Amino acid sequence: MQSKGYKVKVKVIHKAKPKQSPGKKRYQKLLLKDDEGTVMKGAIFHDDIESFDSALKRNGEYEISDAPITVIPEQFSSKVGELQMNFNDRVKIIPVSLNNCSDEPQYTKLSAIPVAEQKTEQKNEMLLDILGVVLFVSETREVNVGHNIQHVRDIYITDDSSPRPMVLSAWNDFTRQECETLSGWAQSSMVVGFVGVQPVTRKGIPFPLLDNIFF
């Protein structure tokens, strides 16, 4: 079943940098929100990443139609039955600012779009969504990875599930503006959501790797 015959109006509230899975599959993650506040993940794969680079901008509002909606495999989702909008060359995208209709079209709710059958195996690594209070952000340190110098900052957060704080590791570009913002929020017990956290294990210890930050 294909998710056709619908039109939604959404805002791109987050657009991550393109990544490559261990299976050499290039992908880019998005977060979309409609007027009712429903949030849905989006995904672009392979060469379509460049094709949609200018068509979908962060904080832009768009009319989108005919994008297949699939259920994210459980090992890659943050909850059971989580849905994802997939973008390919058949998807129609129009910036809301270019809609000259005098009457607003009848948009479909994100929650009401039919789900397409999942036919392709996804090999993306598991991603987690985390919510917690920011306690402290460390200074930037340098780490030598494969003879390349990487910049890392540790973000300490806590929630009511454990007396121990969790440490998230932000790398390279995310050690700058985003971490400076988080450091300021640490003084006011701000609750922050982190989307797309990749769990990794080092020396047998779980270690969340943060390379997508969404406030």
Side-chain angles (χ1 to χ4, degrees):
M1 179 176 63
Q2 294 296 315
S3 307
K4 293 187 176 181
Y6 75 87
K7 180 185 291 184
V8 294
K9 183 176 75 171
V10 297
K11 182 176 182 178
V12 179
I13 60 175
H14 181 63
K15 184 177 180 180
K17 291 186 176 181
K19 296 183 61 179
Q20 184 166 289
S21 72
K24 306 300 182 182
K25 184 175 184 178
R26 293 178 65 235
Y27 65 95
Q28 185 174 33
K29 293 294 186 179
L30 309 170
L31 280 180
L32 313 169
K33 183 171 71 172
D34 65 12
D35 288 343
E36 292 200 342
T38 301
V39 176
M40 179 180 289
K41 292 181 179 179
I44 311 172
F45 299 96
H46 303 302
D47 294 340
D48 288 332
I49 294 173
E50 284 71 34
S51 301
F52 285 101
D53 184 53
S54 59
L56 291 168
K57 296 291 187 180
R58 183 173 180 176
N59 294 323
E61 289 190 283
Y62 303 94
E63 292 181 356
I64 298 176
S65 56
D66 296 343
I69 307 296
T70 58
V71 177
I72 302 175
E74 186 175 351
Q75 64 268 37
F76 307 130
S77 64
S78 56
K79 60 183 179 181
V80 177
E82 187 175 23
L83 301 180
Q84 175 175 278
M85 182 180 291
N86 300 286
F87 291 85
N88 54 43
D89 57 4
R90 294 182 295 277
V91 177
K92 300 179 180 65
I93 301 174
I94 301 175
V96 171
S97 60
L98 299 183
N99 185 349
N100 297 319
C101 299
S102 56
D103 297 324
E104 184 173 278
Q106 187 65 37
Y107 295 118
T108 303
K109 301 175 184 178
L110 277 176
S111 57
I113 300 174
V115 178
E117 181 180 355
Q118 184 73 18
K119 295 182 179 180
T120 58
E121 180 182 358
Q122 295 187 358
K123 297 183 180 180
N124 304 350
E125 59 267 35
M126 183 188 299
L127 300 177
L128 303 176
D129 298 342
I130 297 175
L131 188 68
V133 176
V134 179
L135 300 175
F136 174 73
V137 180
S138 74
E139 296 297 324
T140 303
R141 70 179 189 277
E142 293 184 348
V143 177
N144 193 332
V145 180
H147 304 293
N148 293 318
I149 298 298
Q150 307 288 328
H151 296 90
V152 184
R153 295 182 76 172
D154 293 327
I155 303 165
Y156 292 77
I157 69 170
T158 187
D159 60 17
D160 57 5
S161 65
S162 172
R164 283 188 170 186
M166 175 181 290
V167 182
L168 308 182
S169 182
W171 291 67
N172 298 320
D173 290 346
F174 294 99
T175 63
R176 300 169 188 167
Q177 180 180 344
E178 288 85 355
C179 280
E180 289 301 321
T181 299
L182 291 171
S183 182
W185 288 351
Q187 309 301 320
S188 57
S189 300
M190 179 73 71
V191 178
V192 180
F194 299 87
V195 175
V197 180
Q198 177 187 346
V200 297
T201 301
R202 294 176 181 168
K203 297 181 180 180
I205 301 174
F207 196 88
L209 175 64
L210 185 65
D211 60 1
N212 285 322
I213 301 178
F214 166 63
F215 303 140

